[in-house]
Amino acid sequence: MSVVRLSDTLTVSAEQVNETAAQLGVKVPDGDVESYRILLSGLDACVAQIEAEDDYFPPLDLERFPRTDVHYPTPEENAKEHNAWAYKVHIASTNPVDQAGPLAGLTVAVKDNVNIATVPSLLGTDIFAEPYIPEYDATIVTRLLRAGATIVGKSACENFSLSPNSFTNAHANVQHPLAPGYSAGGSSSGSAALLTGDKPIVDLAIGGDQGGSIRLPASYCGIVGLKPTFGLVPYTGIAPLSSIVDHTGPMTTNVLDNAKLLSAIAGKDGLDDRQLDAPNFGLDYYTPLLEYLEDPKAAVKGMRIGLLKESLEVHVLDPRVRDKVKGAAELFKALGAEVVDVSIPMHLLGPTIWTVANRQAVAELALRGQNPVRHGVHDTPLTRKLAHWTQEMFEKTQLHNPAVTASFLGGQFVRETYPGITDKAINLSRKLRDTYEAAFAAYNVDVLLLPCTPTIGNYTFKLEDSVFAKAAKTVGVTLNTTPMNVSGHPAICIPMGMLPIIEAGREQDAHIKLPIGMQIMGGLWQEAKIYRAALAFEKSYDWREL
């Protein structure tokens, strides 16, 4: 590393040199402290020059995309809509070409980790004295507006997007529209709730999925949620968890709308370095599906579907869910698809790979703003807000979502105790990716069928519950979703039936049925095949009767 410049004055003290060294676990020899004062003062001068420059964010066109009625909904207003909103806003393009786009006339809710300039991002937490207000729109926000959509608000998400249940938002728990008090799934809980029921509040929604956070709420709420292939949809302008698993994607009430929404947002943006292998913008997943509307069976006729053996063996899987998936496989056979058993033993290692590969990144990137040196757009103000945690911040976060504080501690534990283990787990994530791809080829299957959540939504915890009691509500929920996050494979969750509540301690709710979803997983970049299978099932069967 060359020395760019030396400072005319020394701005770094000997104490700062020694304190910095101590943080690294080393000591600078006394005779060399003055040399480091000079060198670090030169670095200080470079920092001062950068600080003097304006930051460089993507351009914002407020004339084309004006925003009005930005407001935080009152508790009473939000309670009427399942506590599913973080912020309300109205944004629609003034451009006539945009107004005639494929999403014209459709309302969209965007997950609260997605940047909308001038609209606060709460991130499900209450630890900031002042909320983070983005200065630019995420790429997908601009694409939605150019496609003619009307953005009507930011949907509430779980605390730092780190929960598979909808109990952790610091402002209000998102309620399941079909059974208040039960989990609507997380972390894209608000997006799912706004789409659930006979009268959805919005037409379309955007979710985020780093461990299943699109698919889990889709399963619990009976909607359609797709985690695209890693990098297919740009993540520019979205608060990250870990750059190897960051995905954003469409959540809708039906498969056709899902394909239409994906078409509007997919493809390279030239900014997100997660998209190195992604196709260019301008993809169309929607139009090819229209030819199957008169004969949905034709969408899967001749298709070979694999029933993933290991996905039915995860230790917390409700036997009723296993039976539903096997029943769905038989229903696919009735549509003309060939269904075969597929064994991928490494699938069961996927959740462990995900845990170790990402725990350090979540602790450092998502929670402390310690961005690695990566290309793309960095959210400087958010990074600064996260740079220094206090005891109060820790305790506030633990109260609502101990998964965050466990990740905070776990990342540091892994870093200090097992140097290199994160690197090995990331290498194994490539092995998992290659293993899935090899299985698609070896079994000659088009898609794989597997459960999404192992159970229907469970009942909320109390704030006064112990850290462990709260964490227990999440055990095993993501066993069949996290593997695809580290492998990068696309997977959709569609509803496959309903099951009555049998949760211990909630016997009074035994008369209530809640949705349960199945996943259809495809090879890398094979979203079109996934949509064909999903459409055939959706159009041929009423999942509410299964």
Side-chain angles (χ1 to χ4, degrees):
M1 183 71 71
S2 65
V3 177
V4 175
R5 63 174 296 176
L6 295 177
S7 177
D8 295 332
T9 57
L10 295 185
T11 57
V12 177
S13 68
E15 289 76 13
Q16 285 177 296
V17 172
N18 289 325
E19 287 172 3
T20 301
Q23 290 167 5
L24 295 170
V26 298
K27 184 181 187 306
V28 174
D30 292 342
D32 296 322
V33 170
E34 195 65 18
S35 295
Y36 284 108
R37 284 190 67 200
I38 295 170
L39 294 172
L40 291 183
S41 293
L43 176 59
D44 217 17
C46 290
V47 170
Q49 283 188 286
I50 296 300
E51 288 280 23
E53 295 289 323
D54 291 335
D55 215 328
Y56 188 60
F57 295 126
L60 176 64
D61 191 343
L62 292 177
E63 289 189 10
R64 185 175 181 178
F65 307 125
R67 42 222 66 193
T68 59
D69 197 25
V70 178
H71 71 280
Y72 181 72
T74 65
E76 295 75 20
E77 178 186 0
N78 213 2
K80 293 177 182 177
E81 297 187 332
H82 323 303
N83 293 331
W85 293 108
Y87 252 84
K88 292 285 193 76
V89 66
H90 185 277
I91 315 174
S93 176
T94 59
N95 185 301
V97 175
D98 298 342
Q99 293 170 357
L103 301 184
L106 299 176
T107 56
V108 184
V110 176
K111 185 178 178 180
D112 188 37
N113 66 340
V114 178
N115 285 359
I116 299 179
T118 76
V119 182
S121 287
L122 302 181
L123 305 180
T125 185
D126 61 352
I127 67 169
F128 302 133
E130 296 293 335
Y132 162 55
I133 303 177
E135 298 177 47
Y136 69 100
D137 288 341
T139 297
I140 58 170
V141 167
T142 302
R143 288 182 175 178
L144 289 168
L145 296 170
R146 286 178 175 170
T150 298
I151 295 176
V152 293
K154 302 193 75 176
S155 54
C157 66
E158 295 311 297
N159 206 303
F160 279 104
S161 292
L162 277 173
S163 176
N165 288 321
S166 64
F167 312 149
T168 70
N169 189 292
H171 305 281
N173 286 355
V174 176
Q175 298 295 307
H176 197 303
L178 305 181
Y182 283 84
S183 176
S187 62
S188 307
S189 46
S191 290
L194 293 167
L195 291 165
T196 300
D198 295 332
K199 294 181 179 180
I201 296 167
V202 295
D203 299 310
L204 312 167
I206 293 292
D209 194 315
Q210 282 95 348
S213 291
I214 287 174
R215 293 161 288 158
L216 303 173
S219 178
Y220 284 159
C221 288
I223 64 167
V224 178
L226 175 81
K227 183 201 79 67
T229 300
F230 179 74
L232 179 61
V233 180
Y235 207 81
T236 303
I238 306 176
L241 282 189
S242 172
S243 57
I244 66 167
V245 295
D246 287 333
H247 300 75
T248 188
M251 301 175 72
T252 57
T253 60
N254 62 74
V255 173
L256 276 176
D257 279 353
N258 202 275
K260 182 183 287 188
L261 181 51
L262 181 64
S263 301
I265 60 177
K268 285 185 177 179
D269 73 349
L271 295 170
D272 184 3
D273 64 3
R274 299 170 185 82
Q275 295 194 283
L276 292 176
D277 299 323
N280 291 327
F281 177 65
L283 301 161
D284 184 1
Y285 298 97
Y286 171 75
T287 303
L289 294 178
L290 298 179
E291 65 178 275
Y292 300 115
L293 292 185
E294 292 187 9
D295 183 14
K297 291 183 179 180
V300 289
K301 188 174 183 180
M303 186 176 279
R304 191 170 161 92
I305 297 175
L307 181 59
L308 183 55
K309 172 178 175 290
E310 286 74 16
S311 73
L312 303 176
E313 298 172 355
V314 297
H315 65 89
V316 294
L317 186 66
D318 186 331
R320 301 177 301 165
V321 175
R322 183 184 297 113
D323 291 343
K324 288 286 186 185
V325 174
K326 289 182 175 180
E330 294 300 315
L331 293 174
F332 272 116
K333 284 183 184 179
L335 296 178
E338 181 182 2
V339 179
V340 298
D341 290 330
V342 171
S343 178
I344 308 176
M346 197 177 181
H347 175 77
L348 295 176
L349 186 62
T352 300
I353 295 172
W354 173 85
T355 298
V356 178
N358 292 289
R359 189 55 52 92
Q360 187 177 335
V362 169
E364 295 178 1
L365 173 60
L367 302 181
R368 283 188 279 185
Q370 296 177 0
N371 285 319
V373 179
R374 300 180 62 233
H375 290 289
V377 183
H378 291 249
D379 289 325
T380 314
L382 180 59
T383 298
R384 287 175 171 159
K385 281 182 174 292
L386 292 169
H388 301 289
W389 278 62
T390 64
Q391 184 65 26
E392 181 185 10
M393 291 166 69
F394 185 90
E395 291 179 2
K396 276 187 171 184
T397 304
Q398 178 180 279
L399 176 66
H400 293 285
N401 191 9
V404 176
T405 45
S407 295
F408 196 57
L409 297 175
Q412 185 70 12
F413 174 76
V414 167
R415 177 180 181 174
E416 296 298 325
T417 311
Y418 302 105
I421 197 66
T422 296
D423 304 276
K424 184 175 182 179
I426 291 172
N427 288 341
L428 289 175
S429 73
R430 291 187 294 104
K431 182 179 180 181
L432 181 62
R433 177 198 66 195
D434 295 345
T435 299
Y436 282 134
E437 286 293 281
F440 276 104
Y443 285 95
N444 191 29
V445 291
D446 296 287
V447 295
L448 293 173
L449 191 65
L450 63 163
C452 187
T453 54
T455 63
I456 56 177
N458 55 21
Y459 197 72
T460 185
F461 57 67
K462 301 182 183 71
L463 279 182
E464 60 267 25
D465 286 347
S466 70
V467 166
F468 185 78
K470 293 172 181 177
K473 287 285 187 177
T474 70
V475 172
V477 174
T478 62
L479 290 175
N480 274 323
T481 56
T482 51
M484 284 79 92
N485 286 94
V486 284
S487 76
H489 283 80
I492 200 169
C493 179
I494 62 172
M496 63 172 175
M498 301 187 81
L499 292 170
I501 292 170
I502 58 170
E503 185 171 341
R506 300 301 304 176
E507 289 76 14
Q508 67 269 35
D509 297 333
H511 64 287
I512 300 174
K513 285 187 174 183
L514 290 175
I516 193 72
M518 65 176 167
Q519 289 186 93
I520 302 171
M521 172 186 175
L524 296 170
W525 315 107
Q526 297 301 310
E527 279 78 3
K529 286 184 179 180
I530 290 175
Y531 278 134
R532 282 174 50 199
L535 182 75
F537 191 91
E538 176 187 85
K539 293 295 184 183
S540 301
Y541 305 109
D542 183 352
W543 63 269
R544 295 170 183 81
E545 303 299 326
L546 295 179

